[in-house]
Amino acid sequence: MNIVRVEVLVASPDRNFVTLRLTTDDGLVGLGDGTLNGRELAVASYLQDHVAPLLLNRDAHRIEDTWQYLYRGAYWRRGPVTMAAIAAVDVALWDIKAQAAGMPLYQLLGGASRNGARAYGHASGRDIPELFDSIRAHQAQGYKAIRIQTGVPGLGTVYGVASSPTVGQQRYDYEPARRTALPVEEQWDTPAYLRHVPTVFEAVRNEFGPELTLLHDGHHRMTPIQAAKLGKSLEPYDLFWLEDCTPGENQEALRLVRQHTTTPLAIGEVFNSVWDYQTLISEQLIDYVRSAVTHTGGISGLRKILDYAAQYQIKSGIHGPTDISPVGMAAALHLDIAIHNFGIQEYMRHGDATNQVFRQSFTFTDGYLHPGEQPGLGVTYDDQAAAAHPYQSAYLPVNRLLDGTVHDW
Ligand code: EZ4
Ligand code: CO
């Protein structure tokens, strides 16, 4: 079963997506997601110019060999562009293999370990009343677990907080990256944030009670001692996790945070290999692995990380924002259903334009996701719908302190 056609598809239905489509000589078609938010064309070129010639006439069944060939064979290992490109190939090959077997992909990963994958959504508000409306809208959609982000008094727009209070339609205003020619610059002040966040969680617990599962994303903005302080001050509100409290590069930073708080810790959406987790997992400094299938070398790459994490009672919390395409989401869901150490799945929901290009068979019912029973991943790509949405240059925002210093985010 050889690969006879390699297509790199770039389209912007609501936002840019890079999709790899592989066709085999017996007519099977597999899809992989290689979307890297704000740097999409780098992955498209890596795939088109450097990977496509290596795939033609390869046996589509040899997934692990192809993974190792692209990882070891390139000499330049790791990095987000490389690992997103490898992910696109890996997921497309798993899609093909599962279709060849006539089974949904999770069956090839060991079969179902659960009936559904518990999902969390993103509630946000510029202030508490807007936040409460957003939480209620998410509960009405079935979510039992909700990430909480709010504006900070004295600061302008804060990343991760929808600028429009339209109930049920909360989307970040960087979706799709606000379509400005250059990155939007946001303001940040960590002391103001640290003073404000515990009051938000107190208000949410008072209003919604103890059973609602709550999460929070610190977006890499704190020093270790600031993160330790926040984790400690949030303990009374019983978070499911505090995500990305410190910048991702320094694994040792989490030691200090861990020594000071029992708030569970999650990190890894900017990671791309098992080496980014070596200290974090072996020293049990985190509770959840936040990597995306799309940015970690695909199902083969992320599965290795999650199996390693499982030995240390660390669970999955696979990244699932809207810049992961429905192909990347479906791949995550097949893993979620199959692995033993599943924790939770992020699910922001795509908009209508995205869903028209990527036809999906996964479902969201009563707070739980399921990949469906179609052979393969269960996602198809509509070329005609995609043609109406050409690539548009778009950037993630940049974050500056009040004095103008560029800050982590
Ligand atoms: O900023 O996906 O937890 N989710 C997040 C996301 C990320 C974007 C970056 O591309 O933090 O919103
Ligand atoms: Co995050």
Side-chain angles (χ1 to χ4, degrees):
M1 189 173 65
N2 287 346
I3 300 165
V4 294
R5 196 165 179 207
V6 180
E7 295 164 284
V8 181
L9 311 166
V10 181
S12 192
D14 286 338
R15 63 171 317 117
N16 292 317
F17 293 110
V18 175
T19 308
L20 182 70
R21 181 164 60 195
L22 302 180
T23 307
T24 66
D25 49 11
D26 47 6
L28 292 178
V29 175
L31 296 175
D33 177 26
T35 306
L36 187 62
N37 200 2
R39 295 293 186 273
E40 296 87 356
L41 297 185
V43 183
S45 164
Y46 192 107
L47 285 167
Q48 188 69 61
D49 298 325
H50 305 293
V51 173
L54 309 176
L55 297 179
L56 282 173
N57 303 317
R58 285 184 77 83
D59 180 358
H61 272 309
R62 299 184 63 176
I63 298 178
E64 182 66 18
D65 181 67
T66 303
W67 197 98
Q68 299 295 347
Y69 185 86
L70 294 175
Y71 181 77
R72 291 171 203 279
Y75 187 67
W76 308 106
R77 299 180 186 188
R78 305 187 285 167
V81 175
T82 299
M83 298 310 282
I86 294 178
V89 176
D90 183 78
V91 170
L93 293 179
W94 277 109
D95 189 11
I96 287 169
K97 189 186 280 291
Q99 288 176 53
M103 292 180 182
L105 174 52
Y106 72 82
Q107 295 289 11
L108 275 61
L109 302 175
S113 290
R114 58 193 52 76
N115 303 326
R118 184 162 67 137
Y120 76 90
H122 288 199
S124 70
R126 287 169 297 186
D127 53 26
I128 299 275
E130 260 187 34
L131 174 66
F132 283 7
D133 284 349
S134 177
I135 294 172
R136 287 195 188 97
H138 280 81
Q139 287 181 309
Q141 289 175 329
Y143 284 104
K144 307 278 184 281
I146 300 179
R147 190 185 88 159
I148 301 293
Q149 309 291 129
T150 60
V152 176
L155 297 183
T157 318
V158 170
Y159 183 75
V161 178
S163 68
S164 143
T166 324
V167 172
Q169 288 290 316
Q170 279 85 0
R171 307 198 68 81
Y172 296 17
D173 43 12
Y174 68 83
E175 302 274 11
R178 290 186 215 163
R179 298 254 192 264
T180 53
L182 294 171
V184 168
E185 299 203 353
E186 296 181 343
Q187 270 185 336
W188 187 247
D189 181 33
T190 310
Y193 163 79
L194 292 176
R195 284 192 301 273
H196 186 59
V197 176
T199 70
V200 171
F201 277 88
E202 182 169 25
V204 171
R205 275 288 175 232
N206 286 340
E207 180 73 12
F208 293 91
E211 278 164 32
L212 181 62
T213 298
L214 299 178
L215 306 88
H216 181 66
D217 191 344
H219 243 276
H220 309 114
R221 293 172 186 210
M222 288 165 269
T223 63
I225 201 72
Q226 288 170 333
K229 185 178 174 180
L230 181 65
K232 219 168 159 175
S233 63
L234 292 177
E235 280 171 21
Y237 313 114
D238 190 27
L239 268 62
F240 185 87
W241 76 37
L242 172 61
E243 173 186 348
D244 290 345
C245 58
T246 53
E249 303 96 311
N250 182 10
Q251 297 182 48
E252 279 110 25
L254 274 293
R255 278 191 198 127
L256 187 140
V257 184
R258 196 65 153 174
Q259 281 158 13
H260 289 281
T261 181
T262 56
T263 295
L265 302 174
I267 199 165
E269 69 184 47
V270 300
F271 293 178
N272 48 73
S273 99
V274 70
W275 301 101
D276 297 321
Y277 285 102
Q278 195 175 23
T279 303
L280 294 173
I281 291 177
S282 65
E283 295 187 21
Q284 289 186 267
L285 301 181
I286 56 171
D287 301 279
Y288 298 94
V289 163
R290 284 288 289 135
S291 282
V293 173
T294 302
H295 301 138
T296 325
I299 286 169
S300 301
L302 186 51
R303 175 102 206 214
K304 290 180 176 84
I305 297 171
L306 293 174
D307 284 346
Y308 174 36
Q311 312 314 314
Y312 296 86
Q313 294 177 284
I314 296 169
K315 295 180 192 293
S316 71
I318 300 181
H319 198 211
T322 45
D323 50 281
I324 298 297
S325 87
V327 173
M329 267 302 298
L333 297 182
H334 286 281
L335 256 183
D336 289 338
I337 291 296
I339 58 174
H340 178 256
N341 58 328
F342 170 75
I344 201 164
Q345 173 64 51
E346 183 181 28
Y347 180 50
M348 278 176 73
R349 307 169 79 94
H350 290 103
D352 291 342
T354 304
N355 293 337
Q356 277 154 20
V357 172
F358 299 91
R359 310 272 170 176
Q360 306 143 32
S361 62
F362 60 79
T363 53
F364 178 62
T365 315
D366 207 20
Y368 287 81
L369 287 156
H370 195 281
E373 300 296 342
Q374 279 187 25
L377 274 176
V379 181
T380 57
Y381 192 87
D382 185 329
D383 289 280
Q384 228 179 338
H389 304 284
Y391 169 80
Q392 297 196 31
S393 170
Y395 290 95
L396 281 160
V398 170
N399 195 32
R400 290 188 187 272
L401 300 180
L402 298 180
D403 71 357
T405 308
V406 172
H407 191 58
D408 308 296
W409 78 282

